[in-house]
Amino acid sequence: MSISLELMRYYFSLERDQFTLDEDCYEGWVLLAVQQGTFEFHVEDVSGDWETAGFGDVILCPPGKRLRRKALERITFHFSEWRLPEGSTLPTGKLHIHDLARLSSTFAYLREWHEQRTDKDVADAQHLVSDLVYIARRERLNSEHRVASKSDLLMREAATHIERNAGLGEISLQILAEQLGLSGPQLTRRFQAAYGVSPVRYATALRLTKARRLLVETEDTLEVVAELCGYQNAFYFSRVFTQHMKMSPSVYRTKYQI
C-alpha cells in the first residue's frame, strides 16, 4: 500500500469565505481537505449529485477531471497536486477518515512545513502528502471490507454526537452509551473498532485541532481558547495540549503565529 508520488504543489489556506476558483481542471492528482468549516463539491465523472465535505473528509480528484467546489461557511483547507507513476490507481471522490488523530497530526505537520518551508525541504512535504494519500487509500480498503451493520450505524451516530459537542464541554460517554442502547464498555470497544481510536481520543483530536487554529489565528487568551474548545479551565487545557503536542500552548503560539 505504499505510495510513490511526485509532489507538484501544496498549500495551506488560512480562513476565508470562499475558494479563489469555483472550479478547475488539473494536470495531476488533487487532494482537497478542509481543516475547519464545510464545503460542497462535485468531481466530474465521479460524483453524482453535489456532496458536502467537512473535517475528516478528503476529496481525491484524478487528472483531467473538473473539480467544482463552494464553501458553505468560513473555511481553512489543505490543497495538494501530485503525479503518480504510470499505471498506478487510487480511489476517487470523498473518503471519510476515521483515524482523526493521525489525520490531525499530518495536517499540523503540513501546516508547519508550509509556514517555514525552504527550497531544501520539499521532500518533507512530499512525505506528508504521501501519508495523507496512504490514509485515504487505507480507508477505502477498510470500508470495502467493513460489514454494514447496526453497530456501524450506531458508531457513526456516536461520532456525529462527539463532533457536535466536543467544543461544548465534557462529553458523558455513559449518557451517550445509554442513548445508543449500549453499555459504556460496549461503546468504547465498538468505537475503537470502527474508528481506530477511543471516543475520548476522538474528541481530544477535534479539540486540539480547533485549539491550534485559535492559538495561531487569534489573540484570544488561553482562558478563552480553553472555553471555546470545551475544556474546564486554562490550566487543564494547557496540561492536555502540552501532553499531546510536546509544547505548551504559549510556546506553540509564539512558534507558529504569523
Side-chain angles (χ1 to χ4, degrees):
M1 288 181 63
S2 60
I3 303 295
S4 175
L5 60 82
E6 177 189 350
L7 185 64
M8 300 165 66
R9 54 177 170 154
Y10 164 83
Y11 67 80
F12 173 77
S13 172
L14 294 175
E15 191 170 310
R16 58 166 69 185
D17 292 318
Q18 202 50 257
F19 295 98
T20 303
L21 298 175
D22 293 335
E23 61 179 67
D24 207 343
C25 186
Y26 301 95
E27 176 187 346
W29 280 85
V30 162
L31 184 148
L32 176 64
V34 293
Q35 187 160 330
Q36 175 198 358
T38 56
F39 69 100
E40 290 182 323
F41 74 94
H42 180 272
V43 180
E44 182 183 5
D45 295 335
V46 175
S47 307
D49 296 328
W50 283 66
E51 299 181 62
T52 301
F55 176 71
D57 297 320
V58 299
I59 312 304
L60 288 174
C61 179
K65 300 299 181 182
R66 192 162 297 278
L67 174 61
R68 300 177 174 89
R69 55 281 174 113
K70 178 181 179 181
L72 299 177
E73 56 186 315
R74 292 184 66 80
I75 56 173
T76 62
F77 63 88
H78 300 263
F79 173 93
S80 62
E81 183 178 6
W82 25 270
R83 298 185 182 92
L84 285 178
E86 187 174 351
S88 299
T89 60
L90 286 175
T92 56
K94 181 173 80 169
L95 297 171
H96 182 75
I97 307 303
H98 291 84
D99 191 348
L100 288 185
R102 179 167 179 175
L103 182 67
S104 295
S105 175
T106 303
F107 277 173
Y109 283 123
L110 275 168
R111 179 169 181 176
E112 177 183 343
W113 177 86
H114 183 261
E115 293 167 352
Q116 300 182 347
R117 63 186 178 186
T118 70
D119 293 338
K120 299 179 180 179
D121 58 9
V122 174
D124 292 341
Q126 184 158 294
H127 170 77
L128 292 167
V129 171
S130 295
D131 190 61
L132 284 179
V133 176
Y134 169 82
I135 296 171
R137 189 179 181 188
R138 186 185 65 179
E139 192 65 49
R140 172 56 59 84
L141 291 174
N142 287 345
S143 68
E144 290 174 352
H145 292 88
R146 189 178 292 123
V147 178
S149 65
K150 183 178 179 181
S151 62
D152 292 328
L153 297 177
L154 284 179
M155 292 309 99
R156 180 61 253 175
E157 186 176 341
T160 298
H161 177 88
I162 294 172
E163 290 161 8
R164 290 175 177 171
N165 294 279
L168 302 180
E170 290 299 320
I171 298 173
S172 172
L173 296 183
Q174 187 59 46
I175 292 177
L176 175 57
E178 291 174 359
Q179 291 174 346
L180 298 174
L182 302 171
S183 68
Q186 283 179 319
L187 171 62
T188 298
R189 184 171 61 252
R190 289 186 177 184
F191 198 95
Q192 179 81 37
Y195 288 89
V197 293
S198 69
V200 173
R201 285 289 301 276
Y202 191 89
T204 298
L206 292 171
R207 288 170 174 154
L208 293 182
T209 295
K210 183 176 182 179
R212 290 196 297 269
R213 179 180 62 81
L214 292 173
L215 289 169
V216 172
E217 298 177 12
T218 75
E219 297 295 337
D220 291 341
T221 64
L222 293 188
E223 287 77 12
V224 171
V225 172
E227 180 179 356
L228 291 174
C229 294
Y231 288 102
Q232 304 168 5
N233 52 60
F235 176 77
Y236 180 60
F237 161 63
S238 182
R239 188 173 71 180
V240 173
F241 189 96
T242 302
Q243 176 185 354
H244 287 271
M245 300 304 299
K246 309 306 179 187
M247 67 179 75
S248 70
S250 298
V251 171
Y252 185 91
R253 168 173 273 169
T254 300
K255 185 174 182 180
Y256 296 115
Q257 194 170 49
I258 299 175

